[in-house]
Amino acid sequence: MNYIWEAVGRQPPGQQPSGAETIQKLCDRVASSTLLEDRRDAVRAIKSLSKKYRVEVGTMAMDHLLRILQSDRTDTEILGYALDTLYNIVCSDEEEEPEENQQKQEDDLGARFTEEFIGEPDNITLLLTLLEEFDFHVRWRGVKLLTVLLKSQCAPVQSIVLVSPMGVSRLMDLLADSREVIRNDGLLLLQQLTKGNTAIQKIVAFENAFERLLEIITEEGSSDGGIVVEDCLLLLLNLLKNNSSNQNFFKEGSYIQKMKPWFEVGDDNSGWSAQKVTNLHLMLQLVRVMVSPVNSPGATASCQKAMFQCGLLQQLCTILMATGVPADILTETINTVSEVIRGSEVNQDYFASVNAPSNPPRPAIVVLLMSMVNERQPFVLRCAVLYCFQCFLYKNHKGQGEIVATLLPSTIDASSMSAGQLLCGGLFSADSLSNWCAAVALAHALQDNLTQKEQLLRVQLATSLGKPPVSLLQQSTNILSQGSHVQTKVGLLMLLCTWISNCPIAVMHFLHNQDNVPFVSFYLHTHTYTHTLSHTHTHSLTHAQTFLIIIIFQDSQMNRTWYIWKCLFGVQQKAEATPSAEGSTSDATELQKEVELLRAQLQSQSAEIAQLQREKHQLLRGSDTTVSAAAAGDDAVRSELESRLSAQTLKEQVQALLESKELMEKELSSATSSAAIMQTEKSKLQQELQESKKEQDDLLMLLADQDQKILSLKHRLEDLGETIEDEDDLDARDQFDDDDDEEEEECDE
């Protein structure tokens, strides 16, 4: 034994060997000693130096230690020393907090020695074999070593374990170990082993993992348990998330029913520990994994049904309405309930029947909406309520009708707060987030439901004393045009897009106010050509553009207007991209000037059309005084007049003109003099409309010429080496009526 003590430093001062020399001597003794006791002492000495001289031990001793694991299997003490030493080599010191640069060096060393260790797959197989050893020191240290190898090189180690005979089964045996330290560290090992590997996840699940993990959770106290419960839940999440096979196995094994006791909380919910909050949060995540919208619809529906039948949904709703529940748990519970009821008629009906324990009782939906429009509530909680409302109404026409009904005059109950009143209050409050949440929530009440879109048009709002009420639709557009917060505008645009989409009556109501479309067009035009758009402005712009498209494509009389705007929009987008190109500054600047000229010409044309509209309205107002008793006219005359009207004339103006024409026809039957006057005025108006149409045709030709110039400049930029993204410039054939085909071909050319 004297040579060992001499090697580790018991020599006279000035004669002590270096660390590397000492380790080399110890390695020689391990290799050459015939006595097990001498090898054990040498390995123990190497272990004591392995943290201080990590590089030297890893470089010189690793092969010797692996041979010890193979040759000295009968001596558990030397096996424990060897496993401890290997662990110290591949793992950074967890007891110290090194500086950032030092930590990086430590991690690099760990990765280097891990690669050397797993470079020979038999080393992992050997380690798995040692885990069958019952001795505490061997088994526990083997678990720790394999865990750190997985942390450092997860995928390669997983591949080796997967092909090792009974490899996963040996690791699953750790959960049955009566020694809690080994069982608990076995949980950590299985967490690392199952990360992102579907094949291993399936094997672990079929090795009875669900049954054993749920037993451990119960034994440890469920949500009141400690860190072990957390580790079990994390392992369950690994096994179930994005793994449809394991999810089906979990459901078919009736394990969903065993989750219900987790959520049995008492009346006193004060003083929750941080660990309990963590545990319950993970439990809620497990429920969400089983009913996630990304799962197949059939699997989700089956799990939703099971959760209702076993009372799990009811238990979650109890937590939802309980007092004293921490805010983050309440938020996650709302999200969980949302996905349990999403698209499930039975679950949605049950949720609609849930009442809060208040006096008098209030529906849970109303209580949640009160939180959503309350600016003092946390942002994530308000968003969770909005998501819950969305899921409640998803594919739920009955629920949509019930929400809209609370807004209708015949069903409003002044004595109680309803969902509709809360949404209206939030829609027009001073808090922009409440505006957005209420607008989006109301949009979901209309989604894919034509009946409710038409019903909501009946809603009238009293804006101020002494003034007549206005419709909800008009008040929404009024606020949109009043310079509101961008968040408010985005919400209102989302609501209006949903409302008027595939609803011609709503479009007619919107166009009844002649200022609506010009405002949306102006808003779209103004924000399109701002080069530095924020994320929120981009969403607002997108919805404004979508909004305008919906209007136009539901009104064939506006097709040509959409055409003049689309041409300019395409030209402007080309010019917007050009100034950033290198080496073509002068050409790009010229292109921008041409675009500005086009814009000026378009504004001039718009002014002329506006003047024509004003003259026409003056004429119509004069006509109203003389033909107030007139009635409906001849359909053939009305059709002829309608066909002659300019596409630039708004639908409301066309309707007003038709009404005046009908009144004029009625007057013709009773007063020849009045008929002569009206005929003269009608001829004048038709002449003016023809002149306007001719001016529009000239403008279209001008736009086509300018588009050709733009195309030429684009080719010049390409010749200069610039990359210009292709885009569908005009592609108008599918957008216009047959009577506009000739104009489309001219623009395309």
Side-chain angles (χ1 to χ4, degrees):
M1 294 294 292
N2 290 338
Y3 66 88
I4 296 179
W5 297 118
E6 291 174 359
V8 296
R10 289 191 181 179
Q11 292 188 3
Q15 300 182 13
Q16 294 183 357
S18 65
E21 292 173 342
T22 302
I23 293 168
Q24 184 60 57
K25 290 182 180 180
L26 290 172
C27 289
D28 293 341
R29 296 303 179 186
V30 171
S32 61
S33 295
T34 57
L35 294 178
L36 176 60
E37 183 181 11
D38 291 343
R39 293 196 299 276
R40 186 192 304 129
D41 289 339
V43 172
R44 181 171 56 192
I46 293 174
K47 170 182 170 294
S48 66
L49 298 172
S50 58
K51 290 185 178 180
K52 184 176 181 180
Y53 298 102
R54 185 181 178 192
V55 175
E56 292 80 1
V57 172
T59 303
M60 293 185 281
M62 181 178 289
D63 291 340
H64 298 291
L65 295 171
L66 290 171
R67 278 193 290 271
I68 288 293
L69 296 179
Q70 293 173 335
S71 60
D72 290 327
R73 293 281 302 276
T74 58
D75 187 80
T76 57
E77 187 176 359
I78 194 173
L79 292 179
Y81 292 148
L83 291 170
D84 257 349
T85 306
L86 290 169
Y87 177 84
N88 291 339
I89 292 171
V90 299
C91 181
S92 302
D93 194 344
E94 298 177 350
E95 297 178 0
E96 300 179 1
E97 295 184 1
E99 297 180 357
E100 183 177 349
N101 291 338
Q102 182 182 352
Q103 181 64 50
K104 186 177 185 306
Q105 294 175 356
E106 296 282 338
D107 293 341
D108 291 343
L109 276 178
R112 168 189 160 189
F113 291 130
T114 299
E115 289 178 1
E116 292 183 13
F117 186 94
I118 67 175
E120 180 53 61
D122 288 344
N123 292 338
I124 297 295
T125 303
L126 174 62
L127 191 55
L128 291 171
T129 304
L130 291 175
L131 292 180
E132 293 181 329
E133 182 63 52
F134 186 75
D135 181 81
F136 175 82
H137 295 286
V138 175
R139 200 173 206 188
W140 180 51
R141 288 163 177 162
V143 169
K144 292 177 63 179
L145 176 57
L146 186 54
T147 302
V148 76
L149 291 172
L150 281 163
K151 286 182 179 179
S152 179
Q153 299 287 333
C154 186
V157 177
Q158 286 175 329
S159 300
I160 298 172
V161 172
L162 192 59
V163 298
S164 297
M166 301 297 292
V168 177
S169 298
R170 290 168 177 166
L171 299 179
M172 283 299 301
D173 290 342
L174 299 173
L175 298 184
D177 199 303
S178 59
R179 294 161 294 190
E180 289 189 359
V181 174
I182 293 178
R183 183 201 67 184
N184 297 345
D185 281 349
L187 286 170
L188 299 178
L189 189 157
L190 289 169
Q191 283 180 28
Q192 297 296 324
L193 182 68
T194 55
K195 279 185 177 179
N197 192 303
T198 305
I200 291 180
Q201 291 166 1
K202 291 180 180 179
I203 296 174
V204 170
F206 282 96
E207 287 283 347
N208 207 30
F210 294 142
E211 185 73 33
R212 181 58 185 142
L213 290 172
L214 293 175
E215 287 177 357
I216 295 174
I217 290 172
T218 302
E219 292 169 2
E220 294 291 327
S222 294
S223 62
D224 292 318
I227 188 69
V228 175
V229 172
E230 178 182 346
D231 291 336
C232 289
L233 293 170
L234 288 171
L235 180 52
L236 282 170
L237 281 172
N238 277 4
L239 296 175
L240 292 172
K241 194 170 185 178
N242 300 323
N243 192 316
S244 57
S245 174
N246 281 3
Q247 290 172 9
N248 185 62
F249 184 64
F250 191 86
K251 177 181 66 71
E252 295 298 332
S254 299
Y255 295 116
I256 288 178
Q257 291 80 342
K258 296 183 179 181
M259 298 169 71
K260 180 190 173 184
W262 295 353
F263 305 103
E264 294 175 354
V265 297
D267 296 331
D268 183 14
N269 293 309
S270 60
W272 285 35
S273 66
Q275 187 62 59
K276 180 173 182 177
V277 170
T278 299
N279 290 345
L280 201 55
H281 197 275
L282 291 171
M283 290 171 174
L284 291 168
Q285 287 187 32
L286 273 172
V287 176
R288 294 185 66 183
V289 164
M290 297 300 296
V291 293
S292 172
V294 302
N295 297 345
S296 67
T300 297
S302 180
C303 291
Q304 288 173 328
K305 180 179 179 181
M307 290 177 183
F308 176 77
Q309 290 178 341
C310 74
L312 178 56
L313 173 59
Q314 294 85 329
Q315 202 67 51
L316 293 173
C317 289
T318 300
I319 298 178
L320 203 63
M321 296 292 105
T323 57
V325 177
D328 51 349
I329 291 299
L330 180 59
T331 300
E332 189 64 15
T333 303
I334 294 172
N335 288 328
T336 305
V337 170
S338 304
E339 293 178 354
V340 174
I341 67 174
R342 183 179 184 271
S344 171
E345 182 179 358
V346 173
N347 293 6
Q348 288 168 335
D349 288 345
Y350 170 77
F351 182 69
S353 70
V354 174
N355 288 321
S358 58
N359 190 18
R362 286 178 171 169
I365 295 174
V366 171
V367 174
L368 291 175
L369 289 178
M370 291 173 67
S371 297
M372 186 186 76
V373 298
N374 186 345
E375 58 184 300
R376 293 190 297 272
Q377 294 294 343
F379 173 75
V380 291
L381 177 63
R382 299 172 74 180
C383 290
V385 174
L386 177 59
Y387 181 53
C388 184
F389 194 74
Q390 172 191 350
C391 292
F392 169 65
L393 297 178
Y394 180 70
K395 294 184 178 181
N396 184 5
H397 284 199
K398 176 184 176 183
Q400 288 176 315
E402 291 172 350
I403 296 298
V404 172
T406 61
L407 283 164
L408 301 179
S410 59
T411 58
I412 292 179
D413 183 2
S415 63
S416 62
M417 185 67 69
S418 69
Q421 290 172 306
L422 287 168
L423 291 177
C424 266
L427 193 63
F428 305 121
S429 75
D431 176 36
S432 60
L433 181 58
S434 294
N435 302 155
W436 181 82
C437 289
V440 174
L442 203 52
H444 284 296
L446 306 177
Q447 188 73 40
D448 300 324
N449 194 324
L450 179 61
T451 300
Q452 302 313 320
K453 291 177 183 179
E454 295 176 352
Q455 285 292 317
L456 201 62
L457 294 171
R458 297 170 50 199
V459 177
Q460 298 288 315
L461 303 175
T463 56
S464 60
L465 291 175
K467 291 187 177 181
V470 298
S471 69
L472 175 61
L473 179 67
Q474 187 55 50
Q475 183 65 6
S476 299
T477 54
N478 290 344
I479 293 178
L480 191 63
S481 62
Q482 291 172 0
S484 307
H485 190 280
V486 66
Q487 196 171 30
T488 302
K489 290 183 178 180
V490 172
L492 289 173
L493 284 169
M494 293 172 69
L495 170 59
L496 292 172
C497 282
T498 304
W499 196 343
I500 69 174
S501 176
N502 297 317
C503 184
I505 297 178
V507 174
M508 290 177 60
H509 278 254
F510 179 82
L511 295 178
H512 183 73
N513 187 329
Q514 62 181 0
D515 295 329
N516 285 344
V517 171
F519 165 72
V520 177
S521 301
F522 171 78
Y523 184 82
L524 181 62
H525 180 270
T526 301
H527 288 78
T528 299
Y529 310 121
T530 301
H531 289 274
T532 56
L533 289 177
S534 68
H535 180 70
T536 308
H537 277 82
T538 302
H539 278 286
S540 181
L541 174 62
T542 301
H543 287 295
Q545 184 172 349
T546 304
F547 185 54
L548 193 59
I549 291 172
I550 289 171
I551 295 171
I552 292 168
F553 280 93
Q554 290 187 102
D555 184 7
S556 60
Q557 293 298 322
M558 299 182 66
N559 279 342
R560 190 174 295 132
T561 302
W562 164 248
Y563 180 67
I564 296 172
W565 178 84
K566 187 171 186 287
C567 289
L568 180 61
F569 180 71
V571 170
Q572 195 76 28
Q573 280 199 322
K574 293 178 184 177
E576 185 182 34
T578 302
S580 63
E582 299 177 2
S584 303
T585 305
S586 60
D587 289 344
T589 303
E590 292 176 4
L591 182 59
Q592 185 66 31
K593 290 180 180 178
E594 292 181 3
V595 171
E596 293 298 331
L597 178 60
L598 269 179
R599 188 185 302 171
Q601 293 170 342
L602 182 60
Q603 290 173 348
S604 175
Q605 178 70 7
S606 298
E608 293 175 3
I609 292 174
Q611 177 64 26
L612 176 62
Q613 290 172 346
R614 286 193 294 270
E615 294 175 359
K616 182 184 71 175
H617 279 288
Q618 291 175 358
L619 172 63
L620 294 179
R621 283 195 295 271
S623 300
D624 289 340
T625 61
T626 60
V627 291
S628 57
D634 182 75
D635 290 338
V637 176
R638 184 178 61 218
S639 300
E640 178 183 357
L641 178 60
E642 183 178 7
S643 65
R644 292 172 177 267
L645 287 176
S646 166
Q648 194 68 28
T649 304
L650 297 176
K651 189 171 185 178
E652 172 60 24
Q653 297 165 338
V654 174
Q655 185 63 33
L657 183 59
L658 289 175
E659 291 173 356
S660 297
K661 179 65 174 62
E662 292 170 354
L663 293 174
M664 291 165 58
E665 292 294 332
K666 179 69 175 183
E667 183 65 15
L668 284 173
S669 64
S670 62
T672 304
S673 60
S674 298
I677 294 174
M678 293 306 298
Q679 183 63 34
T680 302
E681 295 296 336
K682 183 181 73 170
S683 300
K684 179 180 177 181
L685 178 60
Q686 289 174 338
Q687 181 180 356
E688 290 173 344
L689 289 176
Q690 288 296 332
E691 291 174 355
S692 175
K693 182 176 180 181
K694 183 178 182 300
E695 291 172 352
Q696 284 185 323
D697 292 338
D698 292 341
L699 179 59
L700 288 174
M701 292 298 295
L702 177 61
L703 288 176
D705 292 339
Q706 293 301 322
D707 188 65
Q708 186 62 34
K709 291 180 181 179
I710 297 299
L711 183 61
S712 175
L713 288 174
K714 174 182 174 182
H715 291 319
R716 289 175 60 187
L717 287 175
E718 291 175 343
D719 293 338
L720 290 173
E722 296 299 329
T723 301
I724 306 298
E725 294 183 358
D726 290 332
E727 60 182 356
D728 183 10
D729 290 332
L730 296 177
D731 193 18
R733 273 189 291 247
D734 294 333
Q735 302 176 6
F736 305 142
D737 292 339
D738 294 336
D739 58 344
D740 290 323
D741 287 343
E742 181 177 351
E743 295 175 357
E744 295 178 58
E745 293 173 358
E746 292 174 356
C747 185
D748 288 338
E749 292 174 358

